[in-house]
Amino acid sequence: TSITIITLSIIMGTIMTMSSSNWLMAWIGLELNMLAILPIISKPKTTRASEATIKYFLTQAIASAMMLLSSTTNAWQTGSWDILELKNKFSTTIMTLSLMMKMGAAPIHFWLPEVLQGTTLQTALLITTWQKLAPISLMYMISNNIQPALLMSAGILSMIVGGLGGINQTQLRKTMAYSSINNLGWTIMIMALSPNLAVMNIFIYMIMTTPIFLMMTSTSTKTLQNLTTTWTTSTATTLSIALLMLSTSGLPPFTGFLPKMLALNELITQKLTTLATLAIMTSLVSLLFYLRVTYLIMVLTSP
């Protein structure tokens, strides 16, 4: 029964936030969602899980406080609690930072790899996919009022952090966390120009991440070392993980290439060629660690 209540609370919290037009209701939805996921993160009775729960709780609580500060300041200035009426520059900036902190985008990304590492693969899947829906839908709603420079610089920073952070990892959950930060970078950057494209980008990312985590769970793979040994028992699964990794990196014939190509096309149309070049460069850095995983699976394990 407790599982049912928790699951319902998580779903209800996200739906409340996504469907509300008022900052207070959106905040209540996020709080409900956060409180419901805490027992799930702390379910494994280990010190790492407890540590992950506390880290998650503190970052989300700080982000919620920033969100309240922002919406209250805006209500004080404009007299409206409406989400679409976020006109105050200060409020908009604080709100954007708060939402970025909630979803784990750079420069406030430090909690994400740590929390994922401290919990189970299923919970990691929940945090990297479902938990991003509410903040992203809020960011989508206020995207017209956010200064594009803020979104683009945060986006590029997330790409760089996601690319460089994942290179030296042997733990797959941390690799997936940096992959998540990297993909969020693309989403946030393109949010400034085409919010619909940003939503498509994050949905495609979620569709690719979900099977990776599910296959890792089914083969109980947690490190790169494990990946090289699962080849013998479940070849098709390991091969699928390798291909999905390549897809997430945005390599051409795969699905992951489409949103990146459209994003770059949008940037070039808006005469932001330097930004497009930077995005491609950071994409190459992140490709490095995806290729490393694929190389380990394909080359080292083939007879």
Side-chain angles (χ1 to χ4, degrees):
T1 51
S2 56
I3 289 292
T4 319
I5 295 169
I6 287 170
T7 313
L8 279 173
S9 302
I10 287 177
I11 294 170
M12 206 169 84
T14 304
I15 291 172
M16 260 175 78
T17 302
M18 289 171 78
S19 58
S20 65
S21 61
N22 180 305
W23 279 121
L24 278 178
M25 286 310 287
W27 175 77
I28 290 169
L30 283 168
E31 287 297 296
L32 178 67
N33 175 288
M34 176 199 43
L35 290 173
I37 202 172
L38 293 178
I40 296 183
I41 302 175
S42 62
K43 195 166 185 287
K45 293 285 173 280
T46 58
T47 46
R48 294 206 75 161
S50 312
E51 189 184 329
T53 313
I54 291 167
K55 281 178 180 167
Y56 186 82
F57 172 72
L58 288 175
T59 42
Q60 298 294 322
I62 292 166
S64 291
M66 283 165 66
M67 197 173 157
L68 269 185
L69 167 72
S70 161
S71 49
T72 313
T73 311
N74 187 66
W76 178 40
Q77 296 280 329
T78 61
S80 164
W81 283 94
D82 201 301
I83 288 180
L84 300 173
E85 292 295 317
L86 196 72
K87 297 281 191 284
N88 186 346
K89 277 266 174 65
F90 169 78
S91 294
T92 317
T93 309
I94 296 285
M95 183 61 74
T96 311
L97 286 173
S98 145
L99 293 175
M100 274 159 41
M101 192 171 182
K102 276 210 171 284
M103 51 190 155
I108 330 173
H109 63 279
F110 301 101
W111 62 273
L112 188 65
E114 296 294 322
V115 170
L116 290 202
Q117 191 50 43
T119 186
T120 61
L121 284 164
Q122 292 100 316
T123 315
L125 167 65
L126 193 63
I127 294 170
T128 47
T129 54
W130 183 263
Q131 292 301 94
K132 296 205 188 328
L133 289 177
I136 284 197
S137 61
L138 284 177
M139 194 179 259
Y140 177 82
M141 286 191 248
I142 62 168
S143 58
N144 287 336
N145 301 329
I146 309 173
Q147 297 100 315
L150 175 65
L151 285 177
M152 285 177 191
S153 43
I156 284 286
L157 192 60
S158 294
M159 285 184 211
I160 294 169
V161 166
L164 293 177
I167 289 176
N168 214 11
Q169 299 296 339
T170 52
Q171 296 285 343
L172 286 174
R173 275 166 298 181
K174 279 199 173 170
T175 309
M176 292 306 290
Y178 284 108
S179 149
S180 169
I181 295 167
N182 181 43
N183 273 285
L184 267 178
W186 281 90
T187 306
I188 290 172
M189 179 186 71
I190 209 63
M191 186 76 82
L193 303 174
S194 166
N196 293 344
L197 189 54
V199 171
M200 184 187 104
N201 184 25
I202 201 72
F203 269 108
I204 289 183
Y205 163 72
M206 286 174 189
I207 290 165
M208 291 184 301
T209 307
T210 309
I212 294 182
F213 272 115
L214 292 177
M215 284 189 277
M216 280 188 201
T217 312
S218 69
T219 54
S220 63
T221 305
K222 290 190 178 71
T223 61
L224 281 177
Q225 187 72 44
N226 294 153
L227 261 187
T228 53
T229 50
T230 46
W231 179 269
T232 46
T233 49
S234 40
T235 318
T237 309
T238 325
L239 194 63
S240 303
I241 292 179
L243 292 176
L244 279 162
M245 284 278 190
L246 286 182
S247 182
T248 320
S249 71
L251 214 58
F254 300 105
T255 321
F257 173 61
L258 178 72
K260 290 194 175 179
M261 185 189 70
L262 292 172
L264 291 172
N265 181 39
E266 186 68 38
L267 286 174
I268 293 163
T269 313
Q270 303 279 359
K271 305 265 188 297
L272 294 164
T273 328
T274 323
L275 200 61
T277 315
L278 254 174
I280 295 170
M281 293 301 188
T282 52
S283 199
L284 283 176
V285 178
S286 61
L287 182 64
L288 195 64
F289 69 80
Y290 291 114
L291 278 176
R292 183 161 161 247
V293 176
T294 319
Y295 172 82
L296 272 173
I297 295 172
M298 302 284 202
V299 182
L300 300 183
T301 51
S302 51

